[in-house]
């Protein structure tokens, strides 16, 4: 068959796979021999490809846009939830591994101290608690100190040895500053009568000095040579129980 | 028990339709060249499909069935809008959103404009064949015409497009006002 013997209808059927096997084979053979026929087929194929290409990426539909916005929202929520879960898991793992009583997680000072006070009579091993204060919020500090006092009294009554390290950083260092903290007397009496140590983060001190431009003075019992980031992991490794205010 | 089966079937159909939404939208867009209208047509088609799910006896023909519902929605729209259809107005909305190169965008615009200049019956057939990749018998069923008519429309459509797209001497800026051919 020559090129003229193939109608455009036939060629359309060929490129659309609508011919039977015998007809397709015949046309294949003809294509090998006939350049003009090849060109006709190529042109039809080119048109078909162009139409396909032109509508592959139409403007996004409202539905797709909504979907995308929702996906972004879900993604953001997912990331946020994952972060929270991840941080929780890491901290939980950390405290689980290093605490004496497998008490994992971070609680508010109030609930945490209540929990720990309840455990005081269970045995007579020494309790080690690190109290991390990173705020100078009066309400939070008052609650923490009240609970610490209760805790110390409870342990004293049961003759259970208790050691508390108060580690402050950020604005929490103001709790231990002379001329700034309203709790100095209370803290001093706490330190004198009990096994309580005071720490102020060296990095936070440097920042406060830079910001205020004056020398920062602490209670004489305050240790200031390390950062909170160094102090807290050290204690966690030794099995201290960690509470954050 | 029958109610539960119907519910499961409806849920399954819903998933099948959702999976075909993009494909339906593209075809609808190739007919009307309007994103919002395409969306409406697809929405209506999916609503009708769910409403008449009982009419679908063979799930293997779901594609053909959906295209048929879609084209009926499109024809209904054309009937409501009147017989004169403006086909050459290409608004900004119709430009591709993706960041193609300038040349690619030009090709897409040119092809869409050429398809837009085709009479609607030719446009429907050529997009169903070239874009959706349907067989002639499927197209015949969807558009409700004999296979011979599908072939002749396809022939005319491709001949027209070939002249517009492959003939470089053709005036690219020519505008046509077309009337819908019944």
């Amino acid at each position: 068959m020559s090129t003229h013997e193939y109608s455009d209808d036939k060629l359309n059927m060929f490129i659309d796979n609508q011919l039977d096997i015998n007809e397709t084979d015949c046309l294949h053979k003809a294509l090998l021999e006939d350049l003009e026929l090849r060109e006709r087929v190529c042109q039809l194929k080119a048109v078909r490809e162009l139409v396909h290409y032109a509508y592959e990426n139409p403007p996004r539909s409202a539905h797709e846009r909504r979907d995308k916005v929702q996906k972004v929202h879900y993604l953001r929520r997912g990331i946020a939830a994952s972060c929270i879960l991840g941080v929780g898991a890491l901290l939980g793992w950390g405290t689980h591994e290093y605490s004496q009583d497998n008490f994992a997680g971070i609680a508010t000072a109030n609930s945490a101290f209540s929990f720990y006070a309840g455990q005081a009579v269970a045995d007579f091993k020494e309790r080690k608690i690190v109290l991390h204060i990173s705020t100078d919020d009066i309400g939070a500090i008052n609650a923490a100190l009240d609970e610490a006092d209760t805790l110390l009294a409870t342990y004293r009554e049961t003759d259970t040895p208790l050691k508390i390290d108060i580690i402050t950083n950020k604005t929490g260092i103001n709790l231990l500053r002379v001329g700034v903290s309203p709790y100095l007397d209370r803290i001093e009496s706490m330190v004198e009568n009990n096994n309580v140590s005071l720490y102020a983060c060296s990095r936070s001190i440097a920042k406060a000095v830079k910001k205020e431009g004056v020398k920062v003075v602490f209670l004489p019992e305050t240790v200031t040579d390390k950062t909170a980031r160094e102090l807290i992991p050290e204690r966690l490794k030794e099995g201290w129980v960690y509470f954050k205010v | 028990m029958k109610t539960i089966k119907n519910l499961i079937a409806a849920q399954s159909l819903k998933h099948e339709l959702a999976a075909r939404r993009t494909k339906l939208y593209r075809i609808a867009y190739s007919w009307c060249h309007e994103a919002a209208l395409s969306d409406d047509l697809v929405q209506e088609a999916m609503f009708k499909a769910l409403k008449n799910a009982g009419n679908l006896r063979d799930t293997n023909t779901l594609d053909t069935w959906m295209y048929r519902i879609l084209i009926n929605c499109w024809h209904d729209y054309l009937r409501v809008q009147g017989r004169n259809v403006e086909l050459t107005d290409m608004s900004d909305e119709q430009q591709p959103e993706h960041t193609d190169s300038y040349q690619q965008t030009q090709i897409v615009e040119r092809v869409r404009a050429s398809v837009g200049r085709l009479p609607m019956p030719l446009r429907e057939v050529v997009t169903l064949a070239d874009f959706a990749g349907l067989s002639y018998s499927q197209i015949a069923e969807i558009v409700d015409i004999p296979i011979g008519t599908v072939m002749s429309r396809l022939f005319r459509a491709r001949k027209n497009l070939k002249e517009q797209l492959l003939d470089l001497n053709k005036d690219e800026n020519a505008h046509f006002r077309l009337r819908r051919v019944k």
Side-chain angles (χ1 to χ4, degrees):
Chain A
M1 264 191 181
S2 76
T3 182
H4 301 292
E5 286 170 89
Y6 285 104
S7 66
D8 275 350
D9 268 346
K10 196 66 115 185
L11 296 184
N12 275 326
M13 289 175 78
F14 172 70
I15 66 165
D16 292 328
N17 293 321
Q18 300 295 304
L19 293 176
D20 62 36
I21 296 171
N22 290 337
E23 285 178 309
T24 307
D25 283 346
C26 285
L27 196 46
H28 272 302
K29 282 175 191 163
L31 283 170
L32 289 171
E33 296 161 2
D34 193 331
L35 180 65
E36 197 183 329
L37 188 62
R38 279 207 296 275
E39 274 180 17
R40 283 173 64 200
V41 170
C42 281
Q43 284 183 344
L44 286 172
K45 276 192 170 179
V47 168
R48 195 182 62 170
E49 294 305 315
L50 282 171
V51 172
H52 192 273
Y53 176 67
Y55 294 103
E56 240 177 1
N57 292 299
R60 212 176 292 141
S61 69
H63 179 264
E64 281 176 318
R65 281 195 294 270
R66 265 199 310 275
D67 256 14
K68 199 181 175 186
V69 169
Q70 278 178 350
K71 275 176 189 167
V72 169
H73 284 170
Y74 287 141
L75 188 67
R76 281 183 189 159
R77 285 179 196 171
I79 290 168
S82 304
C83 288
I84 291 166
L85 195 65
V87 169
L90 278 172
L91 290 169
W93 172 79
T95 48
H96 169 86
E97 188 176 1
Y98 297 120
S99 70
Q100 288 175 335
D101 299 303
N102 289 339
F103 177 69
I106 296 172
T108 61
N110 202 12
S111 60
F113 279 117
S114 301
F115 168 83
Y116 215 60
Q119 302 290 305
V121 291
D123 58 56
F124 299 99
K125 289 179 191 169
E126 187 188 41
R127 303 288 182 183
K128 291 179 180 176
I129 296 173
V130 54
L131 178 58
H132 178 198
I133 299 174
S134 60
T135 175
D136 60 356
D137 178 79
I138 292 172
I141 289 172
N142 263 329
L145 293 178
D146 286 348
E147 290 297 334
D149 277 337
T150 309
L151 198 60
L152 288 166
T154 308
Y155 276 79
R156 200 181 303 122
E157 281 173 17
T158 58
D159 288 327
T160 305
L162 174 67
K163 181 168 170 47
I164 296 179
D165 278 6
I166 297 175
I167 299 176
T168 62
N169 73 330
K170 296 185 180 172
T171 53
I173 61 169
N174 292 332
L175 176 71
L176 308 176
R177 282 178 67 178
V178 175
V180 175
S181 173
Y183 305 103
L184 292 178
D185 291 341
R186 189 175 174 183
I187 291 170
E188 277 197 315
S189 83
M190 200 185 274
V191 171
E192 277 169 19
N193 303 323
N194 303 285
N195 195 6
V196 176
S197 306
L198 306 175
Y199 298 87
C201 171
S202 58
R203 195 171 175 182
S204 300
I205 296 168
K207 278 186 181 175
V209 170
K210 192 176 175 186
K211 189 179 173 186
E212 296 171 23
V214 291
K215 192 180 176 188
V216 179
V217 182
F218 290 94
L219 283 171
E221 297 85 357
T222 309
V223 179
T224 59
D225 60 343
K226 285 186 175 177
T227 65
R229 201 172 276 184
E230 291 166 328
L231 293 165
I232 293 168
E234 276 174 12
R235 278 147 189 79
L236 288 175
K237 282 178 190 172
E238 290 164 9
W240 289 54
V241 176
Y242 172 86
F243 296 124
K244 186 178 183 194
V245 177
Chain B
M1 198 64 189
K2 199 180 172 185
T3 314
I4 293 168
K5 271 186 182 174
N6 287 342
L7 277 171
I8 292 168
Q11 198 60 30
S12 161
L13 180 65
K14 213 172 169 182
H15 285 300
E16 293 284 341
L17 293 180
R20 285 163 172 78
R21 189 179 185 112
T22 307
K23 212 155 76 171
L24 293 169
Y25 171 78
R26 286 173 179 167
I27 275 289
Y29 183 80
S30 73
W31 296 338
C32 68
H33 283 173
E34 275 183 46
L37 178 57
S38 309
D39 227 9
D40 290 347
L41 290 170
V42 172
Q43 190 65 35
E44 197 183 335
M46 290 177 81
F47 175 73
K48 282 186 176 174
L50 285 170
K51 197 177 161 190
N52 301 303
N55 296 344
L56 178 68
R57 285 171 191 168
D58 182 5
T59 48
N60 293 325
T61 60
L62 181 61
D63 278 329
T64 311
W65 186 64
M66 274 312 298
Y67 282 126
R68 185 162 186 171
I69 295 173
L70 184 66
I71 207 166
N72 286 339
C73 292
W74 169 231
H75 288 170
D76 288 346
Y77 169 82
L78 290 176
R79 262 193 291 279
V80 171
Q81 292 299 309
R83 287 163 190 247
N84 294 334
V85 185
E86 183 66 57
L87 301 172
T88 55
D89 182 28
M90 302 281 283
S91 67
D92 286 342
E93 185 193 34
Q94 294 158 15
Q95 308 308 316
E97 281 183 11
H98 54 285
T99 53
D100 273 349
S101 70
Y102 177 74
Q103 197 181 5
Q104 284 172 317
T105 309
Q106 290 291 301
I107 293 169
V108 167
E109 281 175 16
R110 195 174 160 184
V111 177
R112 285 184 190 172
S114 301
V115 172
R117 283 193 282 269
L118 289 175
M120 193 54 71
L122 305 191
R123 197 196 297 186
E124 289 167 356
V125 169
V126 81
T127 50
L128 286 169
D130 292 357
F131 185 70
L134 299 174
S135 70
Y136 292 178
S137 60
Q138 282 176 309
I139 297 171
E141 199 184 330
I142 291 163
V143 189
D144 199 18
I145 52 173
I147 287 186
T149 310
V150 172
M151 288 167 66
S152 67
R153 284 185 186 177
L154 199 54
F155 163 71
R156 279 156 56 205
R158 283 183 177 155
K159 186 169 181 269
N160 189 319
L161 290 172
K162 194 174 80 174
E163 285 167 3
Q164 288 190 66
L165 297 168
L166 305 180
D167 182 1
L168 297 175
N169 296 322
K170 198 101 176 171
D171 178 14
E172 288 177 26
N173 299 316
H175 288 278
F176 300 90
R177 180 178 286 265
L178 299 180
R179 283 177 188 279
R180 182 165 183 255
V181 179
K182 281 293 277 183

